[in-house]
Amino acid sequence: MVVSLTWALLALPRLRKRLPKIYLIARSWWLMLAALCACYVIAKITDNSQPSQPPTYPYQWLLIAFFVLIGLRGSYEIKRLWCLRNKAVLIHKLQARGLQANTQPFSQTSPHSPQAYTRLNLLDLLFSFAFITLIVSLIALQQLIWQREQYGVLFFVLYASQFNDIAQYLCGRLLGHKLFKRGLASTISPNKSIEGALFGSMLAALLATLLGIWLTPFSWWICLLAAYGLAVSGIAGDLLESAFKRQHGVKDTGTMLAGHGGVLDRVDSLLIGVPLFTLFYWLLG
């Protein structure tokens, strides 16, 4: 409901014209959260065929399947960048939609060139490991949440990430380079400012804390610490994916989410935060 209201507000012509990127972020998050909510509703259907036994949930596997599908799609996007011919096809698609300049590396590579793979380096392996760890962590976190019947915890994690994306963009646009002349990581992501990261993470943590108090069994200060940790780690995950994309000369990792790239572009802020949160949630539970 929160994301739906935000998306509806941003869909107003005036706001959509002024904040097109925020509109696309809200829309892509709405699609993913709608799919996740649908899986949750179906997974909560109980089987009461044996009154003497506790109710069972025969469709709980849908939640695991949802994360596995994200993992398969993200793995395909990674593999596509490793394959030079498939990468050329992706770049031509991005250029055709005006999402990538023609001066990017590999932009003149023919999609009919012989099948060949780029040589993997440490960054490729690090990013791939981080993504696999994310998928495993999401499945483990969902199982822990289900066992403890604390269903709002996963949504709290996702909201903290979403608020961070939006708050960083807004704070960076309003305050960018007014306090610090240099960017956050100019060689990796020239558009990111220190002000956006600093004030955006604090704003995102406050907003996520308000929902966390309602969605989770945690006290307010634990929600605040968790939300701020997710925001800061979200910045690190975003920079990791930006470095991965820059190395391969692409603006986005896909075109599946109209206007906002592929699955990897949407889950980059979860790469580091979710595994760490899952670990602490398991240890402190």
Side-chain angles (χ1 to χ4, degrees), residues 13-253:
R14 186 176 179 182
L15 285 177
R16 184 173 178 178
K17 185 176 180 180
R18 294 186 62 184
L19 301 170
K21 185 173 181 179
I22 299 298
Y23 170 80
L24 294 174
I25 291 175
R27 183 178 67 179
S28 58
W29 268 113
W30 186 91
L31 292 172
M32 293 191 72
L33 285 175
L36 181 61
C37 286
C39 290
Y40 257 95
V41 170
I42 298 174
K44 285 290 290 180
I45 297 175
T46 58
D47 180 8
N48 296 314
S49 57
Q50 297 180 348
S52 60
Q53 300 292 330
T56 59
Y57 301 93
Y59 303 108
Q60 188 183 350
W61 60 267
L62 275 176
L63 292 167
I64 298 176
F66 177 75
F67 295 128
V68 170
L69 285 176
I70 292 178
L72 291 175
R73 175 63 193 189
S75 299
Y76 166 74
E77 292 177 5
I78 293 174
K79 183 260 181 186
R80 180 168 55 183
L81 293 181
W82 290 348
C83 176
L84 296 180
R85 189 175 69 182
N86 292 342
K87 183 196 297 188
V89 173
L90 171 63
I91 290 178
H92 280 283
K93 283 184 180 180
L94 294 173
Q95 291 172 347
R97 301 186 184 192
L99 300 175
Q100 180 156 333
N102 291 328
T103 55
Q104 289 287 344
F106 294 99
S107 61
Q108 302 303 321
T109 305
S110 170
H112 304 292
S113 59
Q115 186 84 3
Y117 289 86
T118 185
R119 180 176 297 178
L120 303 185
N121 58 27
L122 181 60
L123 181 58
D124 289 313
L125 298 176
L126 177 62
F127 182 79
S128 302
F129 175 77
F131 180 70
I132 294 173
T133 304
L134 167 64
I135 300 303
V136 173
S137 298
L138 284 171
I139 295 174
L141 180 60
Q142 181 271 322
Q143 291 294 97
L144 286 171
I145 288 170
W146 204 266
Q147 292 173 4
R148 299 173 185 179
E149 298 184 347
Q150 298 173 349
Y151 306 109
V153 171
L154 180 59
F155 291 99
F156 164 69
V157 173
L158 296 178
Y159 285 139
S161 173
Q162 179 184 14
F163 288 151
N164 189 42
D165 287 345
I166 296 176
Q168 275 193 72
Y169 180 80
L170 291 177
C171 290
R173 187 165 178 176
L174 293 173
L175 304 172
H177 304 294
K178 291 185 177 179
L179 299 178
F180 303 93
K181 300 228 179 255
R182 58 180 299 180
L184 180 65
S186 301
T187 57
I188 298 176
S189 185
N191 295 326
K192 290 192 179 298
S193 64
I194 297 177
E195 294 88 345
L198 182 62
F199 295 104
S201 59
M202 290 191 291
L203 177 60
L206 291 174
L207 292 173
T209 298
L210 295 177
L211 276 179
I213 294 173
W214 172 52
L215 287 172
T216 72
F218 309 143
S219 59
W220 70 267
W221 65 272
I222 293 181
C223 287
L224 181 61
L225 288 176
Y228 188 71
L230 287 166
V232 173
S233 60
I235 298 172
D238 187 31
L239 290 176
L240 175 61
E241 199 229 3
S242 295
F244 176 71
K245 290 190 295 185
R246 179 168 288 271
Q247 171 182 270
H248 288 280
V250 296
K251 185 69 170 62
D252 295 321
T253 61

